Amino acid sequence: MTQPLPHRSRSGRLPRSARRAQLLDVALEVFVEQGYHAASMDEIAERAGVSKPVVYQHFPGKLDLYLALLETSRDTVIAGVKRALASTTDNRQRVQATMDLWFTYVADEGAAFRLVFESDLTNDPDVRAVVDRVIVESAEAISEVIAEDTSLSADAAKLLALSLVGMGHVAARNWLSTESTLDKDDAVALVGNLAWRGIGGFPHERSE
């Protein structure tokens, strides 16, 4: 079914929220193609079909635009992790669902994934903080489940959760960058089984 076009004002201009979304989509393409330093607001404005002042009406500077993209990508990943954990009460399936999230995000939204994890601006403290939150908040969501289901301390659960997140996103990045002959489902099954063999060995709190 064809989606309706965004409502336009009588002047023919896009509503502010729609324009902002358009600029973010265009900026994502430019930043991924050229990197932060080579990308220009002129290029983004030209591709979006607007004047540069219009871009600045939404984003005061290039870094503000870049951070907005990072934050959107960060929120997508964290929300996906939470959905994966809530999708089942079976912990083995939870592990598989979480690993599938990382690989699906890489495969289906590779551009946004590279922007988050392969930024050429990670020396900037604001950018580094956004990237780090992807790992930290994903791990926090997983650690809550681990702590609830085992007798492990909060610190122990957090360390295991960070390990699972690291395993998932590093394996997914390698799978993408090396153009592995494994298809996504096979890769997810392998990494998920490895993760479960580790985390599944901890006693279930309600097993006694």
PDB file of all heavy atoms in Angstrom, residues 38 62 184:
ATOM      1  N   ALA A  38      35.216  15.028   6.156  1.00  0.00           N
ATOM      2  CA  ALA A  38      35.083  15.408   4.748  1.00  0.00           C
ATOM      3  C   ALA A  38      33.673  15.871   4.401  1.00  0.00           C
ATOM      4  O   ALA A  38      33.482  16.613   3.436  1.00  0.00           O
ATOM      5  CB  ALA A  38      35.472  14.231   3.849  1.00  0.00           C
ATOM      6  N   LYS A  62      27.529  21.226  12.288  1.00  0.00           N
ATOM      7  CA  LYS A  62      27.726  19.871  11.776  1.00  0.00           C
ATOM      8  C   LYS A  62      27.806  18.845  12.901  1.00  0.00           C
ATOM      9  O   LYS A  62      27.258  17.741  12.793  1.00  0.00           O
ATOM     10  CB  LYS A  62      28.990  19.818  10.899  1.00  0.00           C
ATOM     11  CG  LYS A  62      29.186  18.460  10.222  1.00  0.00           C
ATOM     12  CD  LYS A  62      30.236  18.518   9.123  1.00  0.00           C
ATOM     13  CE  LYS A  62      31.637  18.639   9.670  1.00  0.00           C
ATOM     14  NZ  LYS A  62      32.670  18.360   8.628  1.00  0.00           N
ATOM     15  N   LYS A 184      23.286 -15.026   7.621  1.00  0.00           N
ATOM     16  CA  LYS A 184      23.036 -14.404   8.920  1.00  0.00           C
ATOM     17  C   LYS A 184      22.508 -15.403   9.946  1.00  0.00           C
ATOM     18  O   LYS A 184      22.951 -15.406  11.101  1.00  0.00           O
ATOM     19  CB  LYS A 184      22.062 -13.238   8.785  1.00  0.00           C
ATOM     20  CG  LYS A 184      21.803 -12.511  10.107  1.00  0.00           C
ATOM     21  CD  LYS A 184      20.932 -11.300   9.920  1.00  0.00           C
ATOM     22  CE  LYS A 184      19.477 -11.656   9.707  1.00  0.00           C
ATOM     23  NZ  LYS A 184      18.831 -12.148  10.963  1.00  0.00           N
TER      24      LYS A 184
END
